[in-house]
Every structure is written in C-alpha cells, then in structure tokens.
C-alpha cells in the first residue's frame, strides 16, 4: 500500500535542475569541514568534532568510520544520514563482495556501491536524498606483478615514483574519493568538504606536493583544519583516520603466516595530541 | 545409475607442475550406455582461469554460461581479469547459492595467478566446498580410476612437457577403465605466458 | 539427505552399503538375514616370464571399523603339512573373508586329494578350472569373493587366473581386485601392459606404433606392486596396514612383507 502512492520527491524543475539535490548539497555545505589527503604511502582523513555542550562525552561519538579493514570514511553534513550510509556501506561490502569472492572490495568498487545507494535515493519514491558528502579512503593491493627486473633496470626512476603505487587496483596503492548526495563521485589527491571546503581547498592547493609522505600529510591535514576550526584544537576536538601500513598489532593474534592487519585505523586522542604539539 | 552425476559420463583432471599447471578432460557425451557425441569438451576458459566441469551435461553447459556471465560482469566492473583464487571463491559461492537444489556438477579450476606467478588448482563438491590440493584434482565418473593413476604417476616439480605426458597418461588410462568416459581428450598446459592446447585421440570405444 | 540423490564421490566409494539391509527389517529376525559382509582390502597379481607375484594388503575391515591389521588374503594351495610347504600355487581372495577362507579350504583339499590320487602336484591350469567349478557350484548362494590364482604353467612361465564370484575366469598378465581395484587396474594397464604408450617417432597420428607389452623383470614388478599399494592406501580407507607379497618361482614361494600406512 505504502509504495503504491509513493512518488519520488526529487523531480525536475522546468529549468532542468533537481532542486532537492541542491538542497542536500546546501546541507552538506553547512556541515562541519572534513578533508582528505593522499600520500605516497597512505591517506589521511580528518575532521573537526564539534560539541554543542561541554557536557557531551566526546569520546563516545565518532565521525570517521572503518568500512573494511583497508577502507575508511568521513563525512560532512547530516550525522544521522551518515550513520545509515556507514551501515549500508559495511553491509554491501560483504553481501555484494566478500560473501561472493571471499575478499574485501577494492576502493573504487566500494565507492561505486555507496554512490549507487545515494543515487537511488534521488530517484526512488518516498525518500529524500542523503544530506551528506563522503570522503572515502582506501588501499588496494595491486594485481600487477612487482617486477624486480624493471626496477633494477631503471634505478633513477625509483625516485620519481616513491613507491610506484599510484592507487587503483592494477598497480595498487592509496586512493581517495568524494561522493556527493547526487551519487556522483570524484577521485582526489587532496580535497575538503563542508562549511569551509573552498578555503580549505585553496590552502591544500598551496601545501600539497607530489611524493608526499603520510606523516607530512597528517601534518598538512592539521594545519588545514587549524585555518578553519572554530573552537579549541586538541585530541578530543579533532578526529583523524589514516590508511597506512598494515597494523598487525590490531589483528588480535600473531603467528599466522600471510595474515595482514588492517591498514585503516583511527588515531587515538593521544596520538593526535602528539601531532599537534609538533605542529 | 540414476544418479544425475553419472547419466552423461565424463572425466576431468588438473595437475600442478613446476611453474605450470595442466587441466584435461575427455570428450564423451552419453545417455547412460548410449554415446550421443564424441565432441563435448568439459573445459572452459575465463581469461587466466580454466574451469573443468563434469556431471549432468545440461548443468555443465548452464554453469559454464552462468560463470561466463559472472566473469564478464566482473571484468567490466573491475577493469581487470579475475584471478584463479577469486574465481574459485566465485564458483564456491555460486554453487552454495543452490544448497538445497544443487547443480549436479563437480568443478575443477586450474590457472596461474597473474600477480604471484604461482600455479593454482582446486576442486569442488556440487554445493561449493573447495578442495585446495597441492598435487592434483580429479572429477567425473572416472574419478576413482583417476585417483589411482594420478597417485601412481604424479611427482612434484614436473616441467611442462613431462606434466603433459603425466596428465595425458593419467587421463587416458583412467577413462579406458570407465565405460562412461573417453572418446578423445583435450589437454591444456598452462605456463606463465603460454598456453598449449592439445587434442588426444584416445581409444574410440 | 544422502539418500535423496547420491553425490559424486570425490574419494573412492565405500564397498559397503550406507544402509544395511538388516536394519530395515526391524524385529523380524530371519526375513532380513543377510549373510555377507564386505571386509575391504585389495589384492593384485602380476605374472612374468618365470615368476608370478601375488600381493594383498593385510587390513580387515567391517564398515568403518578395522577388525585387525594383519589378516592375510593370500593362501598357499596344495602344499604339505599345516604350513603348506612345497606349494607352487597361491590363491588370493578379497571380499567376504569368511567365504574366502571356506573357498581356500575347499581348493586346498582338492589340490591335496589330487596329489594323493595322482602322485604329482596339480597343474595351475587344472587347479584354475577346478576353482571355477567350486565357485559355480554355489551359483545361487555364491562365495562373495573376487579370487585370483597364481602359479607357473607347464613351461615354467608365470600364470595368473582371475575370477568373478560365480566362477567366470580368464588367464591374464595382471589383475587387481577388491576395494581399490578401480584405482589400481588402470595404473597396471599403463605400467604392465603399456596401454596408451606409443613408440616415439614411429609415425604420425594413426600410424604411431603401440609399445608392445613384454614380460617385466622381477624387480620392476615388485616396484610396480609397491607403488600400486602405496597409491591405493593414500586414497582408500579400507586399504592399508601391511603389504604381503608371494613371489612364485621355480625355486618355490618367497614371502615378502612390507609395512603400509596404518591411518
């Protein structure tokens, strides 16, 4: 009964716009700024964690989320919508991939799956678009064989591409995507979303260099946040997730040959404080 | 006799060698004792991966085509070839989807992993349980005979030529002791960047 | 579930039924009486120019149980005394062990009677035909065994006869019988009779010449027998524990025992 009379709320205006999507983007642009920077050996996702009251227990809420062991996500916009998307992303990474291939989806595949969920909300009856933009960061193990001969033949080429891994599933490495309420997605080297996205991106354009290392990327991420942050900056008001080397200590066991820990992990408040003191 | 697995007959075997793998099948298609065709290959290619299917012939064709569709979709979505290991898990999950009304097939996979360069073979039961063997996998109505010949003839680290001889002799002598298999064979020798397909005549009875 | 449709065996099938005929009969005692058991195991025989080798594993099973790890399936026929000394014929039986023993007793008696009456040992050919008759005598309540008879013929050449349970028989170069016969027989075809082997460079396609079988030397045959059994042990649960071999030559019968895997 319910779906018999459920028409899509997102309908074209005479000028060819879908204003519902533009409204959703407005919601994103009022949201707290988030940013992501891709380095040669990893990616950093960062955001500000704002509390409306000093009574809120900051440590129990979280804006940066793990989706698969190698993929993490952050948002700007509406928190409740984001949590729904995190649930759906985690679910689809299993039903649509791991349960079929017994391996986690590559970053681009997950991004496409999440983008499809968001697009469907712009065309289905009885629903509204999600009021969030996402930054999705992940690491892929490449499928191209690592040719030792090739690297030995051109030792000077080694410097030009610090790891040779430029992201994507063929060569492997880090990739960073933005997904919007319309369901469109873009790959970035570094970007920002939310309230101060424009100024943050201008800042990142100045600071970003090719061949950046993860440590530098975290540094730049904090500097960028510092430009836009409204309150105090400390381990409890900044949230950071990184995609880096495999964190074998997070596996919960050791001694299994070939087992690899998750590459995505959130930095603890203490770790963030340490970065901040060195800023 | 009325088992769906032994109506049409057929045999398939895969073997690991040194930096190479082999997969071979017979060519018979029968209806119980009556031979209907002597040109019914049971090995199908999916890029880097070779899939052998024995069992009920209609299911062999359907599963082969279903996997063709799934692998084509994988290639288009992911812009890469499917690896033998990923293919194995895809076959497994596809078979388990039919847990309570299975495809009456016994699949075998052989291939060399493009990333690691390592040989890979595995076999399945009809509901998708994977048998990761280091030496050889057999399937079909001549599986008992194949177990005997493979166990007797196979040794580790065979080169491509010796592996061809071993897998061919294992298959030919096994199907000659199975009334439902035989009538010629296809043999694939898979190396890192070369695949050799040979057609064996075998006994025609 | 298993009774709905039989799945393909990725391992060799068991030689005993999964549901015993007796269990279906319930309280009725004699209507469902089933006098046969399959005791598993495997035997084989290969004949050479001047010898015959008979072999069998020594495991005895019923269902998934192992009754004993040493129950020979090879019997000397027609010798003297309790140890059958001076015998030149060997009978191997695999299937229902009790029938095997009964059959052995009958054939041994026949062979001994022959010697007492004729004053000379029975020839393998005669013994072979007699064995066929003994089996056929019980055409409608058969000895549940697959028998192989080995010895030397009148010319001193290795002789081997194989039987079905009701006495149909044939002289052959080699034969495998029992639980793992389907595993061993194609291996023997290839290694003893050179089946599917061609002489390299002897022609193209159909012009290729078959490699002709020739009697193998004793040490090669012993190796083939051992390989056949170690292979069978690997893939069949009813075969294992020990390998007993009787080598029949003009000098008599030599017994060789080798351990097999006990798992």
């Amino acid at each position: 009964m319910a779906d018999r009379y459920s028409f899509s709320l997102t309908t074209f205006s005479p000028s060819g716009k879908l204003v519902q999507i533009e409204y959703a983007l407005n919601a994103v642009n009022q949201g707290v700024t988030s940013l992501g920077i891709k380095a040669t050996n990893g990616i950093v996702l960062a955001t500000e964690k704002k509390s409306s009251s000093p009574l809120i227990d900051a440590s129990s809420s979280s804006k940066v989320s793990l989706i698969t062991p190698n993929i993490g996500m952050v948002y700007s916009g509406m928190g409740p919508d984001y949590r729904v998307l995190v649930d759906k992303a985690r679910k689809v990474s299993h039903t649509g991939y791991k349960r079929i291939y017994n391996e986690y989806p590559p970053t681009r595949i997950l991004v496409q799956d999440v983008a499809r969920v968001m697009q469907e909300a712009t065309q289905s009856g009885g629903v509204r678009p999600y009021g969030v933009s996402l930054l999705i960061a992940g690491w892929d193990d490449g499928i191209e064989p690592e040719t030792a001969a090739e690297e030995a033949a051109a030792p000077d080429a080694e410097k030009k591409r610090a790891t040779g891994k430029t992201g994507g599933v063929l060569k492997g490495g880090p990739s960073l995507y933005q997904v919007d309420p319309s369901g469109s997605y873009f790959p970035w080297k570094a970007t920002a979303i939310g309230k101060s996205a424009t100024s943050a991106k201008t800042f990142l354009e100045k600071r970003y260099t090719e061949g950046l290392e993860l440590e530098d990327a975290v540094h730049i991420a904090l500097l960028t946040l510092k430009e836009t942050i409204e309150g105090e900056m400390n381990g409890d008001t900044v949230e950071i997730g990184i995609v880096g080397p495999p964190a074998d200590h997070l596996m919960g066991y050791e001694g299994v040959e070939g087992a690899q820990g998750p590459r995505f992990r959130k930095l603890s408040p203490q770790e963030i404080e340490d970065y901040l003191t060195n800023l | 006799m009325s088992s769906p697995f032994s109506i049409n007959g057929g045999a398939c075997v895969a073997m690991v060698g040194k930096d190479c793998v082999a997969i071979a099948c017979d060519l018979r298609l029968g209806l119980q004792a009556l031979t209907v065709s002597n040109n019914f290959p049971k090995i199908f290619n999916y890029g880097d991966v070779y899939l052998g299917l024995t069992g009920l012939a209609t299911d062999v064709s359907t599963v082969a085509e279903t996997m063709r569709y799934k692998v084509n979709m994988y290639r288009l979505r992911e812009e890469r070839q499917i690896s033998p290991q990923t293919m194995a898990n895809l076959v497994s999950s596809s078979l388990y989807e039919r847990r309570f009304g299975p495809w009456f097939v016994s699949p075998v996979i052989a291939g060399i992993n493009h990333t690691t360069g390592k040989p890979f073979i595995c076999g399945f039961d009809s509901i998708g349980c994977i048998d990761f063997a280091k030496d050889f996998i057999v399937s079909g109505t001549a599986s008992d005979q194949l177990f005997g010949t493979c166990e007797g003839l196979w040794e580790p680290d065979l080169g491509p030529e010796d592996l061809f001889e071993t897998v061919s002799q294992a298959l030919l002598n096994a199907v000659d002791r199975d009334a439902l298999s035989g009538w010629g064979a296809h043999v694939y020798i898979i190396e890192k960047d070369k695949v050799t397909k040979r057609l064996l005549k075998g006994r025609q009875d | 579930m298993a009774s709905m449709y039989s799945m393909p065996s990725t391992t060799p099938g068991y030689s005993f039924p999964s549901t015993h005929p007796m269990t279906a009969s319930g309280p009725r005692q004699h209507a469902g009486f089933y006098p046969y058991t399959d005791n598993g195991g495997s035997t084989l025989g290969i004949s050479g120019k001047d010898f015959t080798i008979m072999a069998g594993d020594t495991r005895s099973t019923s269902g998934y149980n192992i009754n004993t790890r040493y129950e020979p399936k090879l019997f000397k026929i027609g010798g003297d005394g309790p140890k059958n000394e001076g015998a030149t014929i060997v009978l191997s039986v695999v299937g229902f062990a009790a029938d095997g023993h009964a059959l052995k007793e009958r054939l041994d008696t026949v062979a001994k009677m022959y010697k007492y009456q004729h004053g000379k040992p029975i020839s393998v050919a005669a013994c072979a035909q007699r064995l066929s008759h003994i089996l056929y005598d019980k055409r409608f309540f058969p000895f549940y065994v697959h028998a192989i008879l080995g010895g030397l013929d009148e010319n001193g050449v290795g002789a081997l006869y194989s039987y079905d349970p009701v006495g149909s028989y044939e002289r052959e170069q080699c034969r495998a019988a029992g639980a793992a016969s389907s595993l061993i027989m194609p291996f023997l075809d290839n290694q003893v009779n050179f089946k599917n082997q061609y002489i390299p460079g002897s022609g193209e396609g159909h012009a290729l010449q078959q490699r002709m079988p020739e009697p193998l030397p004793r040490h090669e045959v012993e190796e083939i027998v051992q390989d056949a059994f170690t292979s069978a042990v690997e893939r069949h649960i009813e075969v294992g524990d020990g390998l007993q071999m009787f080598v029949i030559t003009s000098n008599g019968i030599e017994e060789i025992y080798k351990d097999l895997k006990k798992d």
Side-chain angles (χ1 to χ4, degrees):
Chain A
M1 270 310 260
D3 54 0
R4 199 112 63 106
Y5 295 102
S6 63
F7 302 102
S8 176
L9 305 178
T10 322
T11 47
F12 278 107
S13 74
S15 60
K17 287 182 191 165
L18 293 165
V19 282
Q20 285 296 322
I21 293 176
E22 296 196 357
Y23 298 159
L25 273 171
N26 290 341
V28 171
N29 288 329
Q30 287 167 36
V32 180
T33 316
S34 295
L35 63 92
I37 306 169
K38 194 165 83 164
T40 54
N41 57 338
I43 312 161
V44 57
L45 295 177
T47 190
E48 183 191 348
K49 200 153 83 176
K50 268 180 127 172
S51 295
S52 51
S53 153
L55 295 175
I56 279 190
D57 179 9
S59 65
S60 67
S61 71
S62 165
K63 295 175 67 182
V64 181
S65 311
L66 176 140
I67 306 300
T68 74
N70 290 347
I71 300 176
M73 189 157 100
V74 70
Y75 78 103
S76 288
M78 300 173 63
D81 285 18
Y82 170 70
R83 281 191 290 280
V84 168
L85 283 172
V86 167
D87 275 3
K88 292 200 173 188
R90 287 171 178 168
K91 186 174 176 179
V92 79
S93 69
H94 285 85
T95 57
Y97 211 94
K98 191 167 188 293
R99 281 182 178 192
I100 299 173
Y101 304 111
N102 197 25
E103 59 193 69
Y104 285 102
T107 314
R108 183 174 58 83
I109 298 296
L110 181 93
V111 166
Q112 281 174 355
D113 286 347
V114 175
R116 176 199 273 109
V117 169
M118 295 177 77
Q119 195 282 335
E120 279 170 0
T122 70
Q123 219 180 356
S124 310
V127 296
R128 59 167 175 78
Y130 290 93
V132 290
S133 279
L134 304 172
L135 293 178
I136 300 179
W139 183 283
D140 300 315
D141 295 318
I143 61 158
E144 292 295 329
E146 309 211 1
T147 45
E150 188 186 300
E151 276 164 30
D156 53 328
E158 188 74 7
K159 243 179 203 144
K160 207 159 62 186
R161 41 186 187 94
T163 62
K165 293 185 182 299
T166 51
V169 84
L170 289 181
K171 286 192 167 165
S175 34
L176 171 65
Y177 287 89
Q178 173 188 348
V179 191
D180 281 351
S182 60
S184 40
Y185 60 93
F186 324 93
W188 291 100
K189 290 174 178 172
T191 194
I193 52 174
K195 204 183 293 173
S196 318
T198 318
S199 59
K201 275 198 273 191
T202 315
F203 187 86
L204 284 171
E205 275 170 32
K206 283 191 213 125
R207 285 305 198 106
Y208 183 84
T209 51
E210 297 289 334
L212 208 59
E213 299 250 335
L214 183 57
E215 292 293 301
D216 310 330
V218 176
H219 195 77
I220 294 171
L222 288 169
L223 285 177
T224 316
L225 272 190
K226 200 176 175 194
E227 295 291 303
T228 65
I229 208 161
E230 284 159 6
E232 191 199 347
M233 228 179 147
N234 60 45
D236 291 324
T237 59
V238 171
E239 217 175 314
I240 293 180
I242 58 162
V243 175
D248 289 345
H249 64 281
L250 291 177
M251 260 192 306
Y253 57 88
E254 51 187 283
V256 179
E257 204 183 329
Q260 215 182 43
R263 283 182 181 271
F264 178 81
R265 69 185 182 91
K266 289 180 67 180
L267 296 188
S268 66
Q270 187 53 54
E271 283 176 290
I272 295 169
E273 294 278 5
D274 292 347
Y275 277 111
L276 285 170
T277 47
N278 293 326
L279 216 58
Chain B
M1 255 304 150
S2 63
S3 161
F5 289 101
S6 53
I7 293 171
N8 303 118
C12 185
V13 55
M15 275 183 185
V16 173
K18 185 160 178 56
D19 301 324
C20 56
V21 284
I23 183 165
C25 68
D26 74 330
L27 296 180
R28 184 181 181 269
L29 170 74
L31 277 172
Q32 315 243 57
L34 173 73
T35 299
V36 176
S37 164
N38 56 8
N39 187 24
F40 188 79
K42 294 156 189 77
I43 295 171
F44 306 90
N45 171 248
Y46 304 90
D48 295 341
V49 191
Y50 288 78
L51 174 67
L53 292 165
T54 63
L56 193 68
T58 179
D59 286 0
V60 167
S61 306
T62 308
V63 170
E65 288 312 309
T66 306
M67 293 318 294
R68 170 86 52 225
Y69 160 70
K70 290 191 177 192
V71 173
N72 280 348
M73 289 306 285
Y74 180 94
R75 277 190 210 147
L76 290 167
R77 253 201 314 269
E78 311 227 353
E79 296 169 2
R80 56 172 168 160
Q81 296 281 8
I82 197 165
S83 74
Q85 282 85 351
T86 307
M87 178 80 179
N89 289 306
L90 176 60
V91 168
S92 172
S93 54
S94 302
L95 290 173
Y96 195 78
E97 225 167 52
R98 291 274 174 276
R99 170 64 177 77
F100 297 111
W103 301 111
F104 296 110
V105 291
S106 312
V108 171
I109 278 181
I112 292 180
N113 186 293
H114 175 71
T115 311
T116 62
K118 288 207 172 76
F120 176 85
I121 58 162
C122 71
F124 310 79
D125 67 7
S126 62
I127 52 170
C129 178
I130 312 182
D131 173 1
F132 295 106
K134 290 188 177 68
D135 42 12
F136 50 82
I137 290 286
V138 304
S139 88
T141 50
S143 63
D144 280 18
Q145 288 87 338
L146 279 165
F147 269 125
T149 53
C150 290
E151 198 68 62
L153 298 176
W154 185 86
E155 49 189 278
D157 295 329
L158 291 166
E161 287 306 312
D162 289 340
L163 188 68
F164 165 71
E165 201 58 38
T166 307
V167 77
S168 301
Q169 290 294 329
L171 183 69
L172 253 20
N173 289 287
V175 298
D176 285 354
R177 281 285 172 183
D178 176 25
L180 299 181
S181 305
W183 287 70
H186 281 180
V187 183
Y188 294 81
I189 304 295
I190 303 152
E191 294 166 76
K192 207 167 179 202
D193 35 34
K194 187 171 87 171
V195 178
T196 315
K197 180 185 179 183
R198 291 191 178 92
L199 313 175
L200 305 180
K201 196 80 191 145
R203 283 176 69 112
Q204 298 289 316
D205 61 1
Chain C
M1 278 311 286
S3 58
M4 280 177 63
Y5 32 73
S6 61
M7 295 286 173
S9 53
T10 48
T11 53
Y14 307 122
S15 56
F16 52 91
S18 54
T19 48
H20 200 278
M22 252 172 87
T23 56
S25 65
R28 287 191 310 160
Q29 295 235 307
H30 286 283
F33 177 63
Y34 188 76
Y36 294 124
T37 308
D38 189 320
N39 297 111
S42 247
T43 57
L44 80 83
I46 300 173
S47 65
K49 207 192 197 64
D50 54 358
F51 66 91
T52 295
I53 294 189
M54 303 288 290
D57 70 317
T58 63
R59 176 176 291 184
S60 166
T61 64
S62 34
Y64 294 126
N65 294 314
I66 295 172
N67 301 322
T68 172
R69 297 191 191 280
Y70 188 74
E71 170 76 15
K73 287 183 259 291
L74 266 38
F75 306 104
K76 292 178 184 175
I77 297 296
D80 299 317
K83 291 197 149 174
N84 263 310
E85 276 159 55
T88 57
I89 296 174
V90 172
L91 171 71
S92 80
V93 277
V94 64
F96 182 27
D99 277 2
H101 278 96
L103 182 65
K104 177 254 310 185
E105 288 300 328
R106 286 202 192 184
L107 191 67
D108 191 40
T109 308
V110 162
K112 284 186 164 81
M113 289 300 291
Y114 183 100
K115 197 158 72 176
Y116 301 148
Q117 286 172 349
H118 295 80
K120 62 173 184 184
I122 192 170
S123 69
V124 254
C127 189
Q129 189 156 96
R130 195 67 177 81
L131 176 56
S132 171
H133 290 147
I134 294 170
L135 288 164
Y136 195 79
D137 272 352
K138 278 171 63 61
R139 170 65 178 76
F140 298 107
F141 184 21
F143 287 115
Y144 221 74
V145 290
H146 191 333
I148 304 174
L149 193 71
L152 300 173
D153 68 11
E154 308 80 67
N155 305 314
V157 178
L160 189 75
Y161 296 85
S162 71
Y163 298 79
D164 78 354
V166 285
S168 181
Y169 79 114
E170 179 183 18
R171 183 170 174 178
E172 293 182 290
Q173 288 296 310
C174 68
R175 169 57 62 182
S181 61
S182 58
L183 285 77
I184 297 174
M185 205 56 219
F187 178 68
L188 260 32
D189 288 340
N190 188 226
Q191 295 297 307
V192 178
N193 289 325
F194 302 149
K195 286 285 163 65
N196 286 297
Q197 292 195 44
Y198 294 87
I199 298 162
S202 62
E204 286 281 306
H206 291 288
L208 263 175
Q209 270 187 301
Q210 251 254 283
R211 185 178 166 198
M212 294 313 289
E214 56 196 49
L216 297 170
R218 181 181 155 176
H219 67 93
E220 274 184 36
V221 174
E222 275 183 40
E223 244 170 64
I224 290 171
V225 170
Q226 279 211 46
D227 284 356
F229 272 94
T230 47
S231 297
V233 166
E234 206 66 43
R235 296 289 178 173
H236 204 115
I237 57 168
E238 293 175 3
V239 183
D241 295 332
L243 170 61
Q244 189 186 34
M245 284 196 279
F246 279 157
V247 187
I248 309 153
T249 64
S250 51
N251 297 324
I253 300 174
E254 186 187 329
E255 181 176 353
I256 302 168
Y257 176 86
K258 296 247 162 80
D259 274 334
L260 289 174
K261 280 166 73 174
K262 295 188 197 299
D263 57 4

